[in-house]
Amino acid sequence: REANEVVALIKSALALASLYQQSALGKLSAKAAAEDAEAEGLKAAVLAARKALKDREWSLVEAKHKAQQLEDERLRQDCHIRALQTALDKAVSSRSEAEKRHLVAYSTADAEAAEQRGELRRKLSEAEVARDQAVAQLAAAEQRLEEARKVALRQEEDLRIQMAQRDCEL
C-alpha cells in the first residue's frame, strides 16, 4: 500500500517537474498557472508523504528495536528459568537422596533394634531358665540340708541316749 502511494507520489512529482519545466520556458498560460498551483499542492503532498513515510520508517525502527529488546529479555528469562529449573532439579535430587539415606538408616536401625530385642529376649529367657534351675537347686539343697539336720539331730539324740545308757550302766 505504501509502495503504491510512493509510486503515485513519484508520478505526481514527475508531472510537477514537467509543468515546472514548461513554466520556466515562458509557456505559462492560465492553465499552466492553475497546473502550477496544482503542482505546488502535489509538491506539498509529496513532502507530506515523505514525512509520513519517514515517520512510519521511524516507527518501524522503534518497533524493531522494541521487538529486539523483548527478544533479549525473553532469552534472559529463558536462561534464568533454566538456571532455576536446574537448581530445583538438584534440590529435588538431593532431597530424594537424603530421604533414601534416611530410610536406609532407619531400616538398618530398626533391623538392628529388632535383632537386639530378640537377643535380649533370648538372654532374658536363658536367665529365667537359669534362675528357675538355681531356685530348684537351692530348694533341693535346702531340703537335703533339712534332712541332714534331722538326721544329725536324730543321731545326736541317739548318741545322748546311748551315752545316758552307758552312764547308767556304769
Side-chain angles (χ1 to χ4, degrees), residues 6-164:
V6 170
V7 169
L9 289 174
I10 291 173
K11 285 181 181 178
S12 296
L14 288 175
L16 177 64
S18 173
L19 287 175
Y20 185 75
Q21 204 175 27
Q22 287 175 1
S23 67
L25 296 174
K27 300 180 183 176
L28 282 178
S29 63
K31 186 176 180 181
E35 287 177 357
D36 192 35
E38 184 182 333
E40 286 297 321
L42 284 175
K43 187 176 178 183
V46 167
L47 289 175
R50 278 187 190 165
K51 184 177 185 297
L53 186 59
K54 284 193 184 238
D55 288 345
R56 287 183 187 153
E57 285 176 354
W58 181 250
S59 295
L60 181 61
V61 166
E62 286 179 337
K64 284 181 181 178
H65 181 67
K66 181 67 175 175
Q68 185 61 43
Q69 285 178 334
L70 291 172
E71 179 65 18
D72 292 345
E73 180 63 24
R74 187 190 64 79
L75 291 174
R76 279 192 295 278
Q77 293 279 335
D78 287 348
C79 185
H80 184 65
I81 288 169
R82 280 193 300 275
L84 289 174
Q85 186 63 43
T86 300
L88 177 63
D89 292 345
K90 285 181 181 177
V92 167
S93 177
S94 294
R95 181 177 178 150
S96 177
E97 286 300 317
E99 287 174 352
K100 285 179 186 176
R101 285 191 303 274
H102 173 74
L103 285 175
V104 167
Y106 182 77
S107 295
T108 302
D110 192 41
E112 288 173 357
E115 186 178 322
Q116 288 175 353
R117 281 190 305 270
E119 183 68 20
L120 290 173
R121 283 186 184 125
R122 185 186 60 75
K123 286 181 180 180
L124 177 62
S125 178
E126 289 173 357
E128 287 174 345
V129 168
R131 182 201 63 200
D132 291 345
Q133 289 174 350
V135 166
Q137 288 173 354
L138 179 62
E142 286 177 347
Q143 188 176 6
R144 285 191 307 267
L145 180 64
E146 188 60 34
E147 288 174 8
R149 238 187 248 155
K150 286 180 183 177
V151 168
L153 284 175
R154 268 186 268 149
Q155 287 176 351
E156 182 184 340
E157 189 63 32
D158 287 343
L159 283 176
R160 280 188 194 164
I161 292 174
Q162 287 175 2
M163 282 177 72

